[in-house]
Amino acid sequence: MFETLPALAPDPILGLSAAYKQDPSPYKIDLGVGVYKDEQGNTPILDSVAEAQKILLQSETSKVYITPQGNPGFINGMLTLLLGNNSAALNDSRVAAVQAPGGCGALRILAELLMRVNSKTKVWVSDPTWANHIPLLGDAGLELHTYPYFDKASASIKFDEMMDCLSKVNAGDVVLLHGCCHNPTGADLTKEQWQEIAKLANKVGFLPFVDTAYQGFGDGIDEDTYGLRTLVENVDEVIVAASCSKNFGLYRERVGLAAIICKDEKTKSIAQSQIQSVARGIYSMPPSYGGALVDIILNTPTLNQQWIAEVDAMRNRMTDLRAMLVNNLAAQNVDKDFSFINTQKGMFSFLCIPPEQVQLLRSDHAVYFVDSSRVNIAGINHNNVEALAKAIAQTM
Ligand SMILES: Cc1ncc(COP(=O)(O)O)c(C=O)c1O
């Protein structure tokens, strides 16, 4: 019966990875898929994670199911990481949460919950946004719209246009915001801009939906929660999807958190029962292993310190790589000022070059990244940066 379905083109990013693997060039450069890489181009297991694995191996006594809600140590640890030690919402027991299979799982179950509230819910996503937001939210049945976000010509956020658009959405609409390290542009909102969004959310009555997948990769683990915490402190209801894939390097273990900050404890109980029922209807209970590791790391002081240092090292390396790329491009005397790359945050930047140039870089220089011109900064290293800058210069 499946022959009636159309065959689909491969996912552009995963397709790019396959093309990179097949390219015989010894000089090929992969700036495509969003995984952190070290100077050698590897994505190693963090030392804190390796330590936690040893502890878990010694302490785990059963593989019996965990609950649909997930590991309580993981959930509490993550909520504190996201909302802070002194969070009024946590102190007032206003936060419903479940462990989810990755940030993707969290996004999807929150989308399903929004559908239960109102099957006509509209969600506003930034233009551009992470490509997978569209199926994760749209396939649940939500109606997606975009708000202006990034201007490629000036390589900056169109904040006035964004605010103008969001001021006209309906009460009860949902606005998806990237907590930090915007994917794909790397362009983040300032503190003042987050405050203005919180005010607008109250004025218009839209529900902020924060997706945070790179906590610690922007300015710091606490610093990167500024937007989320500002919203939670000022707006009655906020929903959050968090991922542990990048900052814990636990990609394949599928660890994430879905949280609903409610206006009161009674609503929290309703939300908790509903989100668990959504999860139960899709995958029943989350995978245990990754969440158990994060629980150990967040709740063992020495491991927590070690993890923070590892996140700091990843972030600082990416900041250095940005500067190195900008300097190497400047040394090629290119006719474009790429210094905006230094102001962007996290793992991604838009190079703000046209798709034809991206395709030339791929076909003539074996440099792989998506047509939007999003590059994974962590794919750059001391050995490839000069060749990369030369290739970009030659295609300009
Ligand atoms: C913006 C954003 N949100 C969520 C995710 C979900 O990550 P995962 O499902 O791997 O935890 C990603 C991963 O690339 C992302 O970039």
Side-chain angles (χ1 to χ4, degrees), residues 34-35 100-107 129-133 136 176 178-184 211-214 241-246 250-252 254-256 347-348 374:
V35 297
C104 289
L107 283 158
T129 195
W130 179 45
N132 211 21
H133 278 148
L136 283 169
L176 185 76
H178 297 225
C180 64
C181 308
H182 185 271
N183 180 5
D211 178 14
T212 180
Y214 300 91
S243 162
C244 302
S245 298
K246 324 281 161 146
L250 284 169
Y251 309 86
R252 65 173 63 168
R254 313 308 299 133
V255 205
M347 210 145 80
F348 302 114
R374 185 196 83 165

Side-chain angles (χ1 to χ4, degrees), residues 170-181:
N170 294 319
D173 283 3
V174 177
V175 175
L176 185 76
L177 298 151
H178 297 225
C180 64
C181 308

Side-chain angles (χ1 to χ4, degrees), residues 306-372:
Q306 188 178 11
W307 171 70
I308 291 170
E310 291 187 284
V311 174
D312 289 350
M314 290 193 277
R315 179 182 64 256
N316 292 336
R317 177 164 173 274
M318 288 187 284
T319 306
D320 291 349
L321 293 175
R322 287 179 180 278
M324 203 164 80
L325 177 60
V326 172
N327 293 342
N328 273 270
L329 284 165
Q332 296 300 322
N333 292 318
V334 287
D335 206 14
K336 180 177 170 81
D337 178 9
F338 280 102
S339 58
F340 62 84
I341 294 172
N342 278 326
T343 64
Q344 296 175 337
K345 307 279 179 193
M347 210 145 80
F348 302 114
S349 261
F350 254 15
L351 289 188
C352 300
I353 57 174
E356 304 74 50
Q357 200 182 333
V358 177
Q359 285 150 19
L360 267 183
L361 277 159
R362 207 177 303 146
S363 57
D364 295 7
H365 300 272
V367 177
Y368 286 79
F369 54 94
V370 273
D371 285 357
S372 66

Side-chain angles (χ1 to χ4, degrees), residues 84-297:
N85 280 322
N86 300 316
S87 159
L90 287 178
N91 290 340
D92 298 346
S93 290
R94 286 192 283 116
V95 186
V98 292
Q99 181 180 334
C104 289
L107 283 158
R108 185 51 176 259
I109 58 174
L110 287 167
E112 300 284 348
L113 180 69
L114 291 170
M115 285 296 290
R116 285 191 180 188
V117 176
N118 176 1
S119 63
K120 303 232 171 342
T121 302
K122 288 185 189 156
V123 179
W124 296 81
V125 301
S126 60
D127 176 22
T129 195
W130 179 45
N132 211 21
H133 278 148
I134 312 303
L136 283 169
L137 306 178
D139 289 1
L142 295 167
E143 189 183 311
L144 299 185
H145 296 265
T146 56
Y147 58 83
Y149 187 76
F150 188 75
D151 177 36
K152 266 193 172 180
S154 61
S156 60
I157 297 178
K158 305 179 198 176
F159 190 65
D160 291 345
E161 283 179 54
M162 169 180 173
M163 292 299 274
D164 184 49
C165 174
L166 296 185
S167 69
K168 294 180 190 137
V169 308
N170 294 319
D173 283 3
V174 177
V175 175
L176 185 76
L177 298 151
H178 297 225
C180 64
C181 308
H182 185 271
N183 180 5
T185 67
D188 277 357
L189 297 162
T190 63
K191 289 184 176 177
E192 293 69 30
Q193 290 171 337
W194 278 111
Q195 288 162 13
E196 284 192 46
I197 292 170
K199 274 191 214 139
L200 191 65
N202 282 327
K203 188 166 158 209
V204 174
F206 63 73
L207 174 74
F209 183 167
V210 180
D211 178 14
T212 180
Y214 300 91
Q215 189 182 351
F217 279 14
D219 291 316
I221 290 172
D222 258 353
E223 289 81 347
D224 288 351
T225 63
Y226 183 86
L228 170 64
R229 291 184 193 177
T230 301
L231 290 169
V232 170
E233 280 158 24
N234 293 287
V235 186
D236 268 356
E237 291 180 319
V238 177
I239 60 175
V240 187
S243 162
C244 302
S245 298
K246 324 281 161 146
N247 53 2
F248 287 87
L250 284 169
Y251 309 86
R252 65 173 63 168
E253 303 301 351
R254 313 308 299 133
V255 205
L257 183 91
I260 305 129
I261 293 91
C262 302
K263 61 176 190 242
D264 53 37
E265 200 174 343
K266 190 165 160 239
T267 316
K268 171 246 169 134
S269 303
I270 299 171
Q272 186 67 53
S273 67
Q274 287 284 343
I275 191 86
Q276 281 178 213
S277 135
V278 168
R280 182 90 172 115
I282 304 177
Y283 52 82
S284 213
M285 13 250 159
S288 166
Y289 189 70
L293 297 177
V294 173
D295 172 17
I296 293 169
I297 293 170

